[in-house]
């Protein structure tokens, strides 16, 4: 992202594109190899919970261990190709990059890196608001990737359809990272967070209705939720470098990425027995509440940063005659 100081969101989206599309590739491979007969789950081990079913067909279960070898082989080949394409910029390219960056700063002083020290960063309100937003967003993303198919199995008896939906969701995962990163460059990270979390809230609170809408509605909602929740993967690194600077950027991004692990732990806690008590409708609404909280914190982020931005404008206007852009132009 240091190569594209004015397009950090797009750069982050492109860099995260491959890992998003991997779900499309591996979901299709695994489903085609493990379950070519289109078996449906037929074993309900827990009395009183008939919707929670598992595969019991011996010929299907025998193929599961071998599927790991196939995935490992494909991963090894792709990673080997990727490693050979990694290169460092030449001195000439570095000089061109520095020159372009200086011109940007001269045209707008607010594009200069804030260069916030890591310790100061973790003590700032902005860091913790971002931390909460991305952590809560991670809950919904993990829920959809791990349990949306299980929910679909409760009313859709077509494993090939569910696998195809998962594969298309992989495409939406990758394209969502790119699209939300591009949008953040156009309207700003704080506004993008508001749009993303607000959209995700509406989708999550209506996801249970797909049980009434059938396969078509289920397919649309899963794709839309994955597309929307994937935005955090491009917004997070872009936010870290935009608001806290390029210096020690790897450490700063890593600190903010702790929110992803925290979100995963929260998702595990929310599913630890609660799905038995609340059933699917209650669990989905619980994750919808996570999205709503992320939206409220995104609103807080926008209005807090607006006040800070106006204060910076007031200070900088005393030392420069360059036109300073209004907030989130």
């Amino acid at each position: 992202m240091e190569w594209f100081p004015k397009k950090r969101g797009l750069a982050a989206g492109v860099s995260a594109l491959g890992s998003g599309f991997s779900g499309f590739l591996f979901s299709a491979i695994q489903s085609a190899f493990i379950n070519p007969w289109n078996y449906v789950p037929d074993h309900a081990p827990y009395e009183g919970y008939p919707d929670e079913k598992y595969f019991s067909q011996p010929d299907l279960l025998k193929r599961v261990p071998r599927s790991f070898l196939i995935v490992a082989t494909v991963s090894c080949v792709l990673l080997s190709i990727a490693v050979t394409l990694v290169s460092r910029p030449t001195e000439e390219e570095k000089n061109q990059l520095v020159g372009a960056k200086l011109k940007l700063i001269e045209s707008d002083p607010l594009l200069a890196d804030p260069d916030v020290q890591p310790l100061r960063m973790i003590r700032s309100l902005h860091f913790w608001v971002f931390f909460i937003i991305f952590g809560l967003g991670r809950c919904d993303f993990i829920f959809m990737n791990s349990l949306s198919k299980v929910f679909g199995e409760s009313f859709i008896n077509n494993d090939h359809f569910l696998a195809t939906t998962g594969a298309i969701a992989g495409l939406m995962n990758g394209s969502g990272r790119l699209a939300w990163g591009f949008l953040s460059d156009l309207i700003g990270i704080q506004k993008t967070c508001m749009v993303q979390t607000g959209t995700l809230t509406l989708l999550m609170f209506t996801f249970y209705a797909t049980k009434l809408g059938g396969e078509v509605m289920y397919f649309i909602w899963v794709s839309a939720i994955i597309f929307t929740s994937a935005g955090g993967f491009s917004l997070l690194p872009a936010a870290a470098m935009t608001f806290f600077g390029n210096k020690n950027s790897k450490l700063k991004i890593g600190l903010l990425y702790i929110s992803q692990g925290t979100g995963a732990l929260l998702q595990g806690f929310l599913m630890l027995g609660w799905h038995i008590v609340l059933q699917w409708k209650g669990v989905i609404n619980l994750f919808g509440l996570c999205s709503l909280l992320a939206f409220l914190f995104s609103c807080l982020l926008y209005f807090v940063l607006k006040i800070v931005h106006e204060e910076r404008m007031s200070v900088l206007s005393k030392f420069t005659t360059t036109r300073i852009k209004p907030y989130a132009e």
Side-chain angles (χ1 to χ4, degrees), residues 5 9 48 65 68 71-72 82 85 100 129 140 155 165 195 203 205 243 249 252 257 261 275-276 283 306 313 315:
F68 290 107
V71 172
L85 299 176
V129 174
D140 292 329
F155 62 96
T165 300
V195 174
L203 290 170
F205 275 125
F243 293 102
S249 60
K252 293 172 182 177
Y257 252 109
H275 69 291
I276 298 177
V283 168
K306 184 174 182 179
M313 286 175 63
V315 173

Side-chain angles (χ1 to χ4, degrees), residues 180 183-184 187-197 298 301-302 327-329:
W180 289 106
L183 182 63
S184 70
I187 66 174
I189 291 174
Q190 55 275 24
K191 280 188 176 181
T192 304
C193 285
M194 291 175 62
V195 174
Q196 185 224 11
T197 54
S298 297
L301 173 70
Y302 176 74
Y327 182 73
E329 183 176 293

